[in-house]
Amino acid sequence: MALIHALQLQPRAPWTSLAPVLGASPTALAQRWARLRAAGMAWITAYPVHGVFSGGAMVALVEMNCIPGAVDDVAAKLERMPRVHNLEHAAQGRDLMLTVSAGSFGKLSALLLDELPKLPGVASLRSHIGARMHIEGSQWQLDALDREQREEIQRAGRAEQGRPSEPIYLRSDVYAPLVSALAHDGRATAAELATQLGRPTSTVRRQLSALLRSRTLRLRCEVAQLHTRWPMPVIWWCRLPGSALAATVARLREDSRVRLCMSVTGSANLVVNAWTADMGDLMNMQDSLERLLPAGGIVNSSVILRTRKRVGWLMHPDGRCTGEVIPLPGPLSGEPEVDRPK
């Protein structure tokens, strides 16, 4: 858990810089990470920062109901769609929860109006357009490291990253294949990426450095949730006035259980997702949320029963990743490219 926590702080940190902090040799850390990845317990992926992908991708949360007996068939189709980033089985009022994105408002409208409702077995859906991301999953961390260890890892990471550079258009022919390769393995070296992409190592090293310094790509170390102390995920749909938003988000940032906080359109204008320890912890957090919000501020809530796909990665029922990643849409057409590195 300490190793995973360290990689949540600095996903591409060299083993040599983590070794003195974690009290193990670089070789031992590399071997531990290889075992964790092979078992599907932890993995590192990469994806565009919200609002940068395709010049400003649009995100939506979708509640979907299916006709009786069709949930598994519908979910099997959805998990293969590149524009479906997250796919979850939910309780109370909806069968499935989706996080989807598209490169423009028009493309998102077509996905929500013309494509998803016409899938065989879909009975109905409700869409909530993302307006602003306040907290997202890459900011969530384990609690395996103490404050001094966290600060030391962060200092080393800032020194290695160097100064930020100009943002990069991630759908270009140069960078889209690199982004896709890093989605499969966020720790891949320049030499490994060069072999996959058929480019000179020196060229990939330069492109990779520019990409990472641009801060337009989010690197994220994920963990199998059911094997942590917080196996019960929940989502709350909330309503609050705009004047209370900043203070509410600031308070939510202090709660280490919060995985997602996003402003959305609709009668509920704020969505909060959290990982909790058990039903008692869930209810305690809901009580805290009710005190934070105006009266009647929680419009609805739902426990997530199972996650089938998280940020493009397909999941086993026990929360481990399968190792299979559904590629991001291609750089020009908006459709997936077929020749992606495995």
Side-chain angles (χ1 to χ4, degrees), residues 221-299:
C221 181
E222 277 288 2
V223 61
Q225 182 192 0
L226 296 184
H227 297 269
T228 71
R229 295 195 298 108
W230 307 274
M232 185 173 290
V234 59
I235 185 168
W236 287 283
W237 305 88
C238 308
R239 181 74 188 176
L240 74 167
S243 59
L245 179 62
T248 301
V249 171
R251 290 286 300 276
L252 289 172
R253 291 185 191 279
E254 298 173 358
D255 194 320
S256 60
R257 295 167 293 189
V258 175
R259 290 269 302 188
L260 171 78
C261 180
M262 181 168 66
S263 293
V264 296
T265 60
S267 56
N269 60 2
L270 188 73
V271 172
V272 179
N273 169 257
W275 284 8
T276 61
D278 50 34
M279 188 56 69
D281 187 33
L282 188 156
M283 294 309 299
N284 288 336
M285 185 172 179
Q286 180 161 311
D287 290 343
S288 299
L289 192 58
E290 287 176 341
R291 290 193 295 270
L292 181 61
L293 296 170
I298 296 181
V299 177

Side-chain angles (χ1 to χ4, degrees), residues 301-336:
S301 65
S302 183
V303 172
I304 303 302
L305 302 174
R306 178 179 295 167
T307 299
R308 292 184 67 129
K309 186 179 184 181
R310 191 191 306 161
V311 197
W313 287 69
L314 302 188
M315 313 290 290
H316 289 297
D318 68 355
R320 295 176 301 114
C321 76
T322 65
E324 184 177 1
V325 189
I326 304 304
L328 294 171
L332 298 176
S333 66
E335 297 302 323

Side-chain angles (χ1 to χ4, degrees), residues 62-72 74-75 78 87-98 121-126 302-308:
V62 180
E63 303 174 87
M64 180 177 287
N65 285 315
C66 304
I67 63 176
V71 174
D72 284 341
V74 173
L78 290 170
L87 176 61
E88 300 161 321
H89 292 271
Q92 191 176 341
R94 70 280 294 166
D95 293 322
L96 297 170
M97 283 290 307
L98 292 66
V122 172
S124 64
L125 57 83
R126 293 185 296 275
S302 183
V303 172
I304 303 302
L305 302 174
R306 178 179 295 167
T307 299
R308 292 184 67 129

